[in-house]
Amino acid sequence: MTTRLIKLKEVLTITGLSRSHTYALAQRGEFPRPVKLTERSSAWVQAEVLNWIDSRIAQRDQEAA
């Protein structure tokens, strides 16, 4: 399996989060941190973002039980 990096636009699309909230969560350690690609470019590891989504779903299901 290859590691896929995704840009902010895709992160926002699949999570439904805003740009500022995404960065705020990452800064607090509550969301995967981006990988710096160049001085002006960052991306996220797709698997980490998908795992974060899965953990939010699991948390929701745990609270409902």
Side-chain angles (χ1 to χ4, degrees), residues 20-57:
S20 60
H21 195 59
T22 299
Y23 281 109
L25 288 173
Q27 190 172 29
R28 293 194 313 251
E30 298 174 17
F31 189 78
R33 292 181 52 211
V35 176
K36 196 78 167 155
L37 302 176
T38 66
E39 185 177 317
R40 298 181 50 135
S41 179
S42 297
W44 282 257
V45 177
Q46 182 184 38
E48 293 176 357
V49 174
L50 296 176
N51 287 339
W52 179 85
I53 293 169
D54 289 342
S55 73
R56 301 296 293 181
I57 294 168

Side-chain angles (χ1 to χ4, degrees), residues 7-23:
K7 300 294 281 181
L8 179 62
K9 184 176 180 179
E10 189 172 351
V11 171
L12 301 182
T13 298
I14 64 175
T15 63
L17 298 172
S18 70
R19 174 188 175 102
S20 60
H21 195 59
T22 299
Y23 281 109

